[in-house]
Amino acid sequence: MTIRRLKHTAHIHHKPYPFSISDLQQNGAEMGTAENYDEVLKGKYPAKAHAKAVAEAIVKAGGDKEGTVYLEGQKSKLIEDNDEEAPFRQRRFFFYLSGCNLPDSYLTYDIKAEKLTLFIPPIDPEDVIWSGLPMSVEEAKEAFDVDSVTTTNEVNSYLTSSSTPKSTIYAIPDQISDHITFLSYNEKDLTTLKPTIEKCRVFKDAYEVALIRKANAISTTAHINVMKAASRAKTEAELEAIFIKSCIEQNAKEQAYHSIVAAGENGATLHYVKNDAPITTQNLLLLDAGCQVDCYASDITRTFPLKGEFTQESRAIYDIVLEMQRQCTEVLKEGVVWDDVHLLAHKICIAGLLKLGILKGSPEELLAARTSVAFFPHGLGHYLGMDTHDTGGNPNYADKDSMYRYLRVRGELPAGSVITVEPGIYFCRFIVEPYLRDEGQRGYIDEGVLERFWSVGGVRIEDNILITKDGYENLTPTPKEADELIRIIKTG
């Protein structure tokens, strides 16, 4: 899923993390393969390993080695002016240290004792009448990788009885219920925990990678089903429905983000979400969609001809974007600077658009002028995990360099991170036409040639890539070679 500007953020230089990926892997577990992710997922989500890594990072940074980590799950809520429950989405920080997707839950981690305690809602007889029996304490002990389970009415008494005199409680501001008291702790630190978990989450252990693999496998089936139905579809909405239906049939009932199902020129809008336009004479469909499995996301984009035949213009742009993705993926490994990979994508984009005659001038002039930003305005990719745009990337949305402004990851890529590689070329009038009016830019763009490409809309190709010490592994098996796409669509 492409980057959009959320807010201005001061740039934070990407510093080495205070722990290694091995800290987050249990007993040196292998990352697994595409064939065995279900074997890995027969185990429990590694909550204790995550809690220990977070605690060790806090202590290594000068924190209290006798302190306590405290987190709350998301609360169940009713829809405003209605007695229906609002859709539930577990807080990712809480899930990372618990693996628990129950609402209204809490956890503590005693750093010195290395004890992880989960608090789940007690049985409410009135709720049972309507919703059935909730998970019991005994069932939770069996299901989750924690040391102890009790009920939420015990949280305050537990905090009081288990605190070490003069110790520190670590929590996240605005995620502390009014009835919770930290009076038994000498210090209350509300600034350290969130950024520490964000850094830890960059590294994915074997279980997390298995979840992302599974989400990719399910989403791949859904993408192929859309391709097979594309030639008969009358609206974008039909194809969105096929994707979601396919995920639900495979027991992935939640989408990682709102799908982008954009036909023709709608594909020029980076985050097009209407998904309701009629499909008539458009050539391409841009499908950016992915399910989530147990809170872990897939994020896959494919662009393909709706009727199984590219136009000359759309195939030319497709080939450039595919080459951008190939070359950028091939250079990935531990320690590669993501900014440099993004720069490589722009160089390939410039070379391709020069060959087509859309751009004029030398590659060096065009790069210096940042003209390619008119056609490739977003960042090359982002970290992926529990959030589609996952934590730890250190973006700088205030960067004065337009080529890097929306790059969600800055600096070196560590082994164990999962990142999307999603170059694109777009013909968006709102973005490109100001370049045509700009005295310093319009000489680099041939308007006559450009006129033939507006109907292409946009082409984006996106895979989810696991960074390893010596290279990478592509977790996304979704077809993307042009000939294979054509075959699937025509035989669908």
Side-chain angles (χ1 to χ4, degrees):
M1 189 179 190
T2 56
I3 170 61
R4 59 183 169 190
R5 186 178 184 176
L6 299 179
K7 60 181 180 180
H8 286 291
T9 304
H11 182 45
I12 304 172
H13 291 288
H14 192 104
K15 299 178 180 178
Y17 293 102
F19 39 81
S20 69
I21 180 60
S22 60
D23 296 323
L24 295 178
Q25 293 177 307
Q26 296 187 83
N27 304 318
E30 296 296 326
M31 281 298 180
T33 66
E35 290 76 29
N36 75 350
Y37 60 77
D38 278 331
E39 281 298 311
V40 176
L41 297 178
K42 289 179 180 177
K44 294 181 180 181
Y45 182 87
K48 287 196 288 187
H50 292 174
K52 184 177 180 181
V54 169
E56 287 178 350
I58 289 172
V59 172
K60 192 168 185 177
D64 185 354
K65 63 183 178 181
E66 296 187 343
T68 299
V69 170
Y70 173 85
L71 286 168
E72 295 187 5
Q74 185 59 267
K75 303 295 185 290
S76 54
K77 302 174 183 177
L78 296 179
I79 296 172
E80 187 177 9
D81 299 326
N82 195 292
D83 63 355
E84 291 286 331
E85 288 189 2
F88 175 75
R89 183 184 188 275
Q90 185 60 284
R91 282 175 172 158
R92 275 22 186 179
F93 298 98
F94 175 85
F95 190 89
Y96 188 68
L97 268 68
S98 69
C100 174
N101 206 28
L102 300 175
D104 307 311
S105 299
Y106 304 74
L107 70 80
T108 62
Y109 183 73
D110 185 320
I111 295 176
K112 183 178 181 181
E114 298 185 359
K115 182 180 180 182
L116 182 59
T117 302
L118 176 66
F119 303 83
I120 65 172
I123 294 175
D124 183 336
E126 290 193 10
D127 285 343
V128 172
I129 294 172
W130 302 102
S131 305
L133 282 169
M135 179 176 280
S136 68
V137 167
E138 290 72 24
E139 290 169 332
K141 287 178 181 177
E142 182 67 25
F144 305 121
D145 180 35
V146 297
D147 297 299
S148 178
V149 180
T150 186
T151 54
T152 54
N153 49 8
E154 301 292 331
V155 175
N156 274 328
S157 60
Y158 185 90
L159 288 169
T160 302
S161 63
S162 64
S163 61
T164 303
K166 299 184 179 179
S167 65
T168 305
I169 188 81
Y170 294 94
I172 296 176
D174 302 322
Q175 295 188 14
I176 306 167
S177 296
D178 292 340
H179 71 279
I180 294 298
T181 177
F182 296 146
L183 292 176
S184 58
Y185 291 88
N186 190 54
E187 297 289 340
K188 182 169 67 173
D189 185 327
L190 302 183
T191 61
T192 299
L193 182 58
K194 185 174 183 285
T196 301
I197 297 177
E198 288 177 337
K199 289 180 179 180
C200 288
R201 281 173 52 183
V202 172
F203 299 103
K204 306 303 188 291
D205 54 43
Y207 198 96
E208 292 176 287
V209 172
L211 287 171
I212 296 173
R213 287 186 198 279
K214 185 171 183 178
N216 266 267
I218 292 170
S219 296
T220 291
T221 300
H223 271 269
I224 292 172
N225 286 339
V226 172
M227 294 174 193
K228 289 180 177 180
S231 64
R232 301 180 299 276
K234 302 300 182 185
T235 67
E236 295 167 342
E238 284 182 51
L239 298 179
E240 180 180 25
I242 289 169
F243 187 92
I244 295 173
K245 173 180 180 289
S246 183
C247 292
I248 293 174
E249 286 175 338
Q250 299 173 84
N251 207 32
K253 297 186 178 183
E254 301 293 336
Q255 296 294 291
Y257 53 93
H258 187 94
S259 300
I260 298 169
V261 188
E265 293 191 23
N266 290 336
T269 299
L270 303 185
H271 271 184
Y272 175 79
V273 293
K274 291 182 179 179
N275 301 349
D276 61 1
I279 294 175
T280 54
T281 61
Q282 303 98 319
N283 181 233
L284 296 182
L285 183 86
L286 190 156
L287 175 63
D288 186 339
C291 72
Q292 68 177 35
V293 174
D294 291 343
C295 295
Y296 279 78
S298 59
D299 186 359
I300 304 169
T301 307
R302 292 294 183 264
T303 309
F304 53 86
L306 283 153
K307 303 299 182 183
E309 294 290 347
F310 287 95
T311 65
Q312 181 180 345
E313 290 77 15
S314 65
R315 179 60 187 265
I317 299 302
Y318 189 88
D319 288 346
I320 296 170
V321 175
L322 187 59
E323 188 62 22
M324 291 165 71
Q325 201 207 35
R326 282 175 178 156
Q327 290 196 37
C328 290
T329 302
E330 284 298 320
V331 302
L332 297 179
K333 64 178 180 179
E334 179 184 36
V336 165
V337 177
W338 188 242
D339 310 55
D340 295 340
V341 186
H342 181 69
L343 174 62
L344 173 61
H346 272 272
K347 289 179 177 179
I348 301 165
C349 174
I350 289 169
L353 296 181
L354 273 171
K355 188 175 181 179
L356 293 178
I358 296 172
L359 295 183
K360 301 183 296 183
S362 72
E364 294 77 18
E365 288 176 318
L366 289 162
L367 184 63
R370 298 305 196 236
T371 310
S372 55
V373 175
F375 302 94
F376 177 27
H378 61 77
L380 180 62
H382 50 81
Y383 285 139
L384 181 75
M386 285 189 285
D387 289 317
T388 307
H389 297 159
D390 213 31
T391 61
N394 298 320
N396 177 19
Y397 302 134
D399 198 324
K400 296 185 183 303
D401 189 331
S402 61
M403 199 171 78
Y404 295 103
R405 186 174 301 147
Y406 300 130
L407 194 58
R408 287 192 68 91
V409 174
R410 306 297 292 264
E412 295 183 4
L413 301 180
S417 60
V418 175
I419 196 162
T420 67
V421 180
E422 51 176 310
I425 292 177
Y426 311 86
F427 298 91
C428 177
R429 295 180 186 275
F430 182 81
I431 299 174
V432 176
E433 287 179 347
Y435 281 73
L436 301 177
R437 297 190 296 267
D438 184 274
E439 194 69 35
Q441 291 285 353
R442 63 186 181 190
Y444 294 124
I445 302 174
D446 189 316
E447 291 190 57
V449 177
L450 175 63
E451 192 63 32
R452 304 197 333 256
F453 287 85
W454 291 116
S455 63
V456 172
V459 173
R460 182 167 65 251
I461 306 170
E462 176 183 20
D463 290 341
N464 308 156
I465 307 296
L466 171 65
I467 303 301
T468 65
K469 184 174 179 60
D470 300 315
Y472 69 91
E473 183 181 351
N474 192 335
L475 305 178
T476 305
T478 318
K480 61 183 174 182
E481 296 299 327
D483 290 345
E484 187 174 7
L485 296 177
I486 291 169
R487 180 188 62 78
I488 292 170
I489 295 162
K490 286 190 170 183
T491 59

